[in-house]
Amino acid sequence: MTNTSAQRQAQYRTRRASAGENGEMRINAWVASGTVLALRRLARRYGVTQREMLEKLIAGADDPIISTLEPGTPAWDEYFGAAVTA
C-alpha cells in the first residue's frame, strides 16, 4: 500500500520532531510584512538562512534573561512556565 502525500508529510514531521536531543518544533505564525522583510534583510546581511537568523535573534533575547535567573527559584519557575504552588 502506497502512502499518500499527507501520510508521508506526517511521518516526516514525526521523524523531525524526534531527531536529536531536543528535536525540532514547527512554528507557523502570521507576522507583519515589514517584519518578514526585515528578517530577510538581516539574514542576507549576515549570510545566514532566515531560520538561523530567527534562532539567533530569539537566543540573543533569551540568553541574557536566563543568565540572571537561579535554577529552582520562583523566578526561574515563572520564566520557564513551571506550575507554581501556593
Side-chain angles (χ1 to χ4, degrees):
M1 180 169 142
T2 304
N3 286 345
T4 66
S5 294
Q7 290 169 324
R8 285 192 301 274
Q9 183 67 20
Q11 291 167 350
Y12 168 79
R13 287 184 179 163
T14 299
R15 284 192 311 273
R16 187 105 188 219
S18 62
E21 182 178 301
N22 291 320
E24 295 177 326
M25 297 175 75
R26 180 178 174 81
I27 59 172
N28 187 10
W30 289 95
V31 297
S33 297
T35 301
V36 173
L37 296 172
L39 177 60
R40 289 177 184 168
R41 287 191 303 268
L42 287 165
R44 188 174 54 248
R45 168 88 170 160
Y46 291 103
V48 297
T49 65
Q50 290 179 41
R51 172 191 167 151
E52 289 170 313
M53 192 72 244
L54 189 56
E55 289 174 344
K56 287 175 187 279
L57 291 168
I58 292 170
D62 188 49
D63 290 346
I65 295 169
I66 292 173
S67 71
T68 67
L69 302 174
E70 186 70 34
T73 63
W76 177 277
D77 292 342
E78 180 181 342
Y79 188 70
F80 282 94
V84 178
T85 58

